[in-house]
Each structure stands twice: as structure tokens, then as C-alpha cells.
């Protein structure tokens, strides 16, 4: 997979490609931006571009990209190239079956200092095996604790020849200022719902399910790809049920809040989807038949609500959903947060 397949990151990719063309690739990058928008993929694609042999094999010249098909490209894509080193949290390594227990302790949720020392003292001290440029990818770099970050400082400042480091972080502020100042920062943008949805459609999702998943994932393609059809359908049904709650029947709201509030993450997703759906209701009220609701699967319920409620009432409900989301972020009980939201809807 070459750079052109990465969606919505034209600025980040553009700056990497021009550095590749000029032959002035920095020795330490910080890829910073929201989770699930392609930072890790871009790090791998940079490693491919720095080691691709597409040109040598008679393919088209690729000064600033990779072919995705030659032996080094395929090894890097599979994570088995000996000169592309990945540093990740012990827990993620354990999940992938790559972690060897040391001293009987459980795998850490961090990238620990031992891992950095092993990289610096042992792996980077070896000669390169077969690649042109050795690439170290630290993903997520913000999982390095301070001790681990300090152990990486000197290498960031003076990396071995023909070695590039890429730190991938969705919370770059968790990195020490001394780490950040030694890296060239490449900002990655959040993806729009439309960009996420079209990628999901390209992966074979129906347009309706793609829009639903994009709405729930809040700009993260990674998260959208994880949502299966069953989870999407459950959230759609939950929004439809909320839309149909009778204003005068408090027993029905409480039952709804209890049922939907059993799982915090599901409650949060239902609220996210309610926001998109209520925006559809507003759009229908403003543009009538010309409106194109974002959630086609819920367009019937949106039309009914657009006819039954005033725009002021819809805005008030949006405000209540936002309050519920804020409460969920602050660890409020999900059933209680939903119950308060519904009281606000019907008794505000
Ligand atoms: Zn290649």
C-alpha cells in the first residue's frame, strides 16, 4: 500500500513526500493527531518508501513513495522486516503473542525503560541487515513512561547513521518537552464523517451502515472499522426507541434508561448517534424535502420528529444529550445519565 491510499492526510503526506524527494528526511519525527486517523500506517509507509526496491526491479521510479509489492515493502507491511523496529506497549505485545515474561511480572500498559534500553544498547548497536534505512517506530510513543522517555533522549539527539525514528502519539503533550523538541512534528488531521464513510464503503460496508459507523466513530477510521454490523444495529434500534418514547410515560423512560445504561460504552455511542440524528431532524426542519439526512436508516424517525417538535425543542434535546455525554465522560452512572437526559427532554 503506497501513500495515496491513506485518506484525509494530504498535508502530512505531502510534507513527508517532499522530504523524500529532496533526500532530506529528518532523523526523528513526531506524528501527532487523533487516534485512528492513519498515523501508524503513515509511519509504516515512510519505512516502506525508505526501503522500497520497486525502482531497482524495473518498476516505475518511486523517489517519494513505495510500490507496496517488492520484498522489503511486503516484509514491512507484515511487520517482519529486520530493519524496521517497532516499540509498543508490553500489553499489546502480550496480546499479539510477542511478549516474553521477565521476572514473573505481568505485562505493563506502558512502554517500559527495559524495552528502550534493549533497543538502544542492543538492537541499534547492530549493523543494518538488509534495508537502506533503519526505521524505529514507537507506537504509541505517549505510552512511554518518563524513565523510558529519558532513556530514548540521547538516541533522538544523535541516532546512528541511516536511522530514522518515528514517534506516534495521539496525546503528544504526555511526552516530555525535551522529547518533543528533538522531533520534527507532523500534524495529522481528524477525518470527517464523510471521509470515514467512503473508506468503509470501499471496504464493502453498505452506505447506510458506513454512515452509522462513521457517526459513531467520531473521526477515527480505526474505531469505525472495529464496529461490527451487530453493534451498529443495536445502536440504531436504541436511537429509534428513544425517538419513539411517549412524553407522558415516565415509567417507559426509566425502563429505557436502565436497559440502555447497562453498558457505559454502548450508552456513550447511543448518545453520539442521537446527536447526529437530532442534527438530521434540524436539517429536515430547515430544508424540508431537499434535505439529505446523514443517517438514512433513521430518516423515517427523523421526519416524524421534524414534524412533531419545534426547532427550539430539538436544540434543547441536543443540549441534554451533550450534558449526558459530559456526565458519562466524568464517570457518571450510565443509566442515571440517560435518565436525566430524558427528564430534560420531556420535563425541561
Ligand atoms: Zn516496494
Amino acid at each position: 500500500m503506497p501513500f495515496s491510499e491513506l485518506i484525509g492526510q494530504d498535508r502530512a503526506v505531502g510534507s513527508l513526500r517532499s522530504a523524500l524527494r529532496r533526500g532530506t528526511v529528518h532523523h526523528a519525527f513526531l506524528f501527532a493527531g487523533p487516534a485512528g486517523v492513519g498515523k501508524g500506517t503513515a509511519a509504516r509507509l515512510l519505512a516502506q518508501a525508505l526501503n522500497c526496491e520497486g525502482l531497482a526491479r524495473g518498476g516505475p521510479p518511486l523517489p517519494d513513495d513505495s510500490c507496496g509489492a517488492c520484498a522489503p515493502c511486503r516484509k514491512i507491511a507484515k511487520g517482519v522486516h529486520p530493519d524496521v523496529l517497532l516499540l509498543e506497549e508490553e500489553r499489546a505485545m502480550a496480546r499479539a503473542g510477542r511478549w516474553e515474561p521477565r521476572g514473573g511480572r505481568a505485562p505493563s500498559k506502558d512502554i517500559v525503560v527495559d524495552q528502550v534500553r534493549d533497543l538502544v544498547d542492543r538492537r541499534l548497536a547492530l549493523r543494518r541487515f538488509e534495508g537502506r534505512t533503519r526505521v524505529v517506530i514507537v507506537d504509541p510513543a505517549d505510552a512511554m513512561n518518563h524513565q523510558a522517555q529519558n532513556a530514548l533522549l540521547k538516541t533522538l539527539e544523535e541516532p546512528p547513521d541511516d536511522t530514522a525514528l518515528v514517534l506516534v502519539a495521539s496525546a503528544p503533550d504526555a511526552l516530555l518537552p525535551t522529547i518533543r523538541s528533538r522531533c520534527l512534528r507532523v500534524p495529522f488531521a481528524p477525518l470527517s464523517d464523510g471521509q470515514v464513510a467512503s473508506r468503509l464503503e470501499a471496504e464493502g460496508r453498505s452506505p447506510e451502515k458506513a454512515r452509522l459507523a462513521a457517526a459513531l466513530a467520531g473521526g477515527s477510521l480505526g474505531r469505525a472499522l472495529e464496529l461490527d454490523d451487530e453493534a451498529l444495529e443495536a445502536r440504531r434500534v436504541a436511537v429509534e426507541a428513544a425517538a419513539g418514547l411517549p412524553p407522558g410515560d415516565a415509567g417507559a423512560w426509566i425502563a429505557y434508561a436502565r436497559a440502555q445504561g447497562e453498558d457505559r460504552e454502548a450508552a456513550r455511542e447511543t448518545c453520539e448517534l442521537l446527536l447526529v440524528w437530532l442534527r438530521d431532524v434540524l436539517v429536515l426542519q430547515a430544508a424540508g424535502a431537499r434535505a439529505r439526512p446523514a443517517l438514512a436508516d433513521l430518516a423515517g424517525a427523523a421526519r416524524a420528529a421534524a414534524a412533531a417538535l419545534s426547532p427550539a425543542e430539538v436544540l434543547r434535546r441536543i443540549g441534554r444529550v451533550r450534558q449526558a455525554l459530559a456526565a458519562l465522560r466524568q464517570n457518571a452512572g450510565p443509566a442515571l445519565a440517560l435518565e436525566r437526559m430524558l427528564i430534560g427532554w420531556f420535563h425541561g
Side-chain angles (χ1 to χ4, degrees):
M1 165 173 165
F3 278 127
S4 57
E5 289 175 38
L6 199 66
I7 56 166
Q9 303 300 349
D10 295 350
R11 268 189 67 187
V13 167
S15 74
L16 293 175
R17 295 185 71 166
S18 66
L20 283 161
R21 274 196 302 279
R22 291 193 309 260
T24 55
V25 172
H26 206 263
H27 62 264
F29 287 101
L30 172 56
F31 286 7
V37 301
K39 301 185 299 297
T41 305
R44 183 167 54 68
L45 291 174
L46 178 64
Q48 281 185 197
L50 289 167
N51 287 288
C52 178
E53 286 171 1
L55 177 59
R57 294 174 150 225
L62 297 163
D64 61 354
D65 205 345
S66 60
C67 71
C70 67
C73 278
R74 277 184 286 129
K75 280 188 188 173
I76 293 167
K78 271 198 262 173
V80 297
H81 194 293
D83 295 310
V84 177
L85 311 176
L86 177 66
L87 217 58
E88 57 188 339
E89 316 104 299
E90 287 188 333
R91 210 178 266 176
M93 293 171 71
R95 274 198 301 272
R98 287 195 296 271
W99 190 70
E100 287 165 30
R102 270 176 264 191
R105 66 178 177 82
S108 168
K109 64 176 174 31
D110 293 336
I111 294 176
V112 299
V113 69
D114 285 350
Q115 290 173 274
V116 176
R117 288 203 184 116
D118 179 62
L119 172 84
V120 173
D121 297 341
R122 190 179 63 84
R123 297 165 87 188
L124 288 181
L126 297 171
R127 266 171 200 282
R128 271 176 290 132
F129 291 91
E130 54 192 69
R132 287 197 305 275
T133 306
R134 181 151 51 189
V135 181
V136 178
I137 300 171
V138 188
D139 184 6
D142 34 13
M144 283 189 290
N145 58 35
H146 283 183
Q147 213 187 351
Q149 292 185 40
N150 278 318
L152 191 63
L153 266 183
K154 201 166 156 6
T155 309
L156 274 179
E157 210 158 36
E158 295 168 29
D161 287 345
D162 301 315
T163 297
L165 287 96
V166 184
L167 274 52
V168 174
S170 52
D173 291 345
L175 294 169
L176 297 170
T178 43
I179 292 269
R180 279 179 306 199
S181 66
R182 283 164 174 77
C183 296
L184 181 67
R185 191 183 181 112
V186 181
F188 281 69
L191 301 176
S192 71
D193 285 3
Q195 284 168 327
V196 173
S198 25
R199 171 47 70 90
L200 294 174
E201 279 187 57
E203 307 261 331
R205 284 270 171 97
S206 73
E208 292 77 21
K209 290 280 181 291
R211 297 298 306 201
L212 268 181
L216 285 177
S220 163
L221 178 60
R223 228 181 114 222
L225 286 167
E226 283 168 11
L227 289 163
D228 60 23
D229 280 359
E230 205 179 318
L232 290 175
E233 181 58 14
R235 299 287 76 74
R236 189 192 68 75
V237 169
V239 168
E240 209 162 47
L245 283 173
D249 184 353
W253 327 331
I254 291 169
Y256 176 90
R258 287 219 178 114
Q260 297 300 325
E262 280 182 2
D263 175 334
R264 170 177 300 275
E265 180 59 13
R268 198 191 56 72
E269 286 179 355
T270 299
C271 287
E272 295 280 1
L273 197 59
L274 273 170
L275 278 184
V276 181
W277 177 75
L278 285 166
R279 262 180 249 133
D280 274 354
V281 176
L282 281 180
V283 168
L284 283 164
Q285 287 177 329
R290 284 176 295 118
R292 291 212 23 217
L295 303 174
D297 274 2
L298 287 162
R303 272 189 210 97
L309 304 171
S310 71
E313 176 75 2
V314 180
L315 284 171
R316 207 168 54 74
R317 291 193 180 192
I318 288 177
R320 294 299 187 166
V321 180
R322 291 220 174 98
Q323 284 173 2
L325 276 167
L328 287 169
R329 271 196 296 275
Q330 284 159 18
N331 256 356
L336 191 64
L338 290 176
E339 199 179 300
R340 289 221 172 108
M341 175 187 88
L342 293 171
I343 292 171
W345 278 20
F346 299 124
H347 270 272

